[in-house]
Amino acid sequence: MTNDHREQKQVTITTGPIYVAPLGLWVPNDKLIITLKNPTHKKLRAQISLGLCPSPNAPVALSTSVPLSTSVDTFEVNETEINLGSFKVDPMTCLRVEKRFDNYELFDSVIRLTAFGDFEICEDSCEPICGLLEITSVVGFSGYGGGLLTALPAEMAALNQAYYYYSGLLISDPSTFVPYGDWVLCDTHCPCDSSSSSSSSDDHH
């Protein structure tokens, strides 16, 4: 019988802010995919939320006469918090969480993913390590609504219509990919804080 993992405190990790360009490899970025991998023989859990700061400007057709700015520009945008859900990941499985966005919601945006759950954290470095859940994320083009499809061979377009419309990405934007090792612990009390403080204290003796 398989039991849920309850042997250690669940932790919160985050991608930090990710800039999502309007186009990834000349197609619109309109879909987010988060992959959870459970390499253990126990059921593990994670709750995932998305912080979305939309583009400071509505999408418009760019003019070839737009002047170049030599100043430093700043754009402050309010964040919208989106709860993507709580997930139970069965032993030795991969769970994909996919969300497609409409109306240019990811156009020129900044996103930040946060996951709370059964992740293993190294006590020395406070970095995520193997042992429990592993997580990655990427943004790309779903293939929905045309776009690149008009330039694809008929066979590939048919494959997209039959498959990518429902799941996955036709093209991923590599600049948005966050591997598991790049997620950052954001718990208030990091396991390595005490060891760092102890080391610092010892240096002063």
Side-chain angles (χ1 to χ4, degrees):
M1 182 168 127
T2 303
N3 296 320
D4 288 353
H5 178 79
R6 290 289 183 272
E7 297 175 2
Q8 76 167 40
K9 172 182 174 289
Q10 292 182 312
V11 299
T12 303
I13 57 178
T14 180
T15 58
I18 306 165
Y19 175 70
V20 181
L23 299 178
L25 301 177
W26 301 106
V27 289
N29 283 321
D30 65 352
K31 194 173 192 178
L32 167 68
I33 294 185
I34 302 158
T35 304
L36 289 164
K37 165 62 179 172
N38 181 356
T40 76
H41 294 284
K42 298 180 179 181
K43 288 184 179 180
L44 302 177
R45 297 172 181 267
Q47 180 176 341
I48 305 174
S49 63
L50 168 69
L52 173 62
C53 292
S55 172
N57 302 299
V60 295
L62 295 178
S63 168
T64 56
S65 61
V66 174
L68 294 177
S69 173
T70 58
S71 63
V72 176
D73 299 319
T74 61
F75 304 93
E76 187 175 86
V77 181
N78 291 329
E79 180 185 64
T80 299
E81 189 77 14
I82 302 171
N83 180 18
L84 298 179
S86 297
F87 307 96
K88 181 183 290 185
V89 189
D90 289 329
M92 305 302 294
T93 63
C94 295
L95 177 68
R96 274 177 19 194
V97 181
E98 305 190 0
K99 180 171 176 58
R100 193 173 64 81
F101 295 82
D102 295 320
N103 301 321
Y104 298 97
E105 287 177 281
L106 287 182
F107 185 100
D108 186 34
S109 68
V110 174
I111 63 173
R112 179 180 185 265
L113 286 163
T114 302
F116 171 75
D118 297 316
F119 301 100
E120 190 77 62
I121 300 297
C122 176
E123 292 189 1
D124 293 329
S125 65
C126 286
E127 296 176 349
I129 57 175
C130 297
L132 296 175
L133 277 181
E134 299 166 6
I135 186 171
T136 65
S137 63
V138 69
V139 173
F141 174 53
S142 68
Y144 180 81
L148 183 69
L149 292 183
T150 56
L152 289 177
E155 294 81 2
M156 292 185 65
L159 174 64
N160 175 81
Q161 296 288 352
Y163 178 74
Y164 291 103
Y165 176 81
Y166 299 104
S167 65
L169 295 171
L170 187 59
I171 297 177
S172 64
D173 184 344
S175 69
T176 67
F177 176 62
V178 184
Y180 176 50
D182 285 355
W183 289 64
V184 179
L185 179 70
C186 52
D187 280 10
T188 304
H189 300 291
C190 173
C192 63
D193 285 345
S194 57
S195 60
S196 299
S197 300
S198 175
S199 174
S200 176
S201 174
D202 292 341
D203 292 341
H204 287 85
H205 287 304

